[in-house]
Amino acid sequence: MDKKKKEGRYQRLFSQIEKLMATCEHEPSRRATIIALLHAKMDYFFWTGYYLLKDGELLVDHYQGPVACMRLVKDKGVCWAAINQEKTLVVQDVHDFPDHIACDSRSNSEVVVPLRTKDGEIYGVLDVDSADKNSFDEIDAEYLEKILNLRWI
Ligand code: SME
């Protein structure tokens, strides 16, 4: 998708999510709604969901798309790398990422954004996979971070 089109789509999506988030403080409902909207509106999102930290593990939370891995082996793959490096990671070709965890062999590129509380504590990640290579760029990173910043906790 060209950058202009992508940016326009994210802008509309952000306003819609912002309005919805103002209507509900319950965190699981908020997470589920963000996933539903992102997955429905962004046609290159093949798998869209969260992994949350629980007792030192990453366990799957709300998601849409093919069935995912329930838990991710500690310190392996893109999600753990984003947690350990405390930053958003954009991977143009997951097959080039040394210990990428393939929950579905159709995934080819990926973006992972850490989830933070208002105090900055990381409690999980938003993970989006695409079936095409090179799907994600700085626009996805910027808007996904902005959407996740609409937090209540
Ligand atoms: N690819 C991720 C695992 C989660 S799936 O993409 C849904 C990773 O390497 O951490």
Side-chain angles (χ1 to χ4, degrees):
M1 185 184 298
D2 77 66
K3 288 186 190 269
K4 269 235 143 57
K5 188 172 169 192
K6 188 187 265 195
E7 190 136 27
R9 211 177 269 199
Y10 269 122
Q11 276 166 1
R12 289 189 295 279
L13 195 49
F14 181 79
S15 325
Q16 193 179 359
I17 292 176
E18 194 176 31
K19 285 191 192 99
L20 280 163
M21 292 304 114
T23 67
C24 179
E25 72 287 358
H26 185 58
E27 204 54 44
S29 314
R30 295 162 66 83
R31 284 202 301 275
T33 296
I34 289 173
I35 291 300
L37 271 165
L38 286 174
H39 198 77
K41 298 284 169 81
M42 303 307 268
D43 44 18
Y44 56 103
F45 284 24
F46 171 70
W47 191 91
T48 315
Y50 305 99
Y51 281 90
L52 300 186
L53 284 168
K54 189 169 189 324
D55 302 328
E57 290 196 284
L58 272 180
L59 305 184
V60 79
D61 185 60
H62 296 286
Y63 69 93
Q64 298 207 8
V67 172
C69 312
M70 298 284 280
R71 47 165 44 97
L72 302 177
V73 180
K74 192 162 174 21
D75 295 336
K76 285 190 82 169
V78 188
C79 293
W80 270 109
I83 297 248
N84 292 335
Q85 294 174 35
E86 302 185 1
K87 63 175 193 186
T88 297
L89 294 181
V90 174
V91 179
Q92 303 299 355
D93 182 348
V94 295
H95 307 287
D96 290 341
F97 196 92
D99 54 6
H100 165 254
I101 300 170
C103 299
D104 189 298
S105 59
R106 289 169 289 180
S107 290
N108 275 309
S109 57
E110 181 164 0
V111 57
V112 179
V113 185
L115 296 170
R116 295 173 194 271
T117 63
K118 278 203 166 106
D119 298 333
E121 194 188 331
I122 294 179
Y123 64 96
V125 291
L126 168 70
D127 177 14
V128 186
D129 289 10
S130 164
D132 298 316
K133 291 180 183 170
N134 306 308
S135 288
F136 305 106
D137 56 23
E138 69 289 350
I139 300 174
D140 298 274
E142 181 194 329
Y143 277 93
L144 293 175
E145 285 175 5
K146 207 171 145 184
I147 289 166
L148 296 180
N149 266 332
L150 292 168
R151 62 198 165 229
W152 205 285
I153 57 171

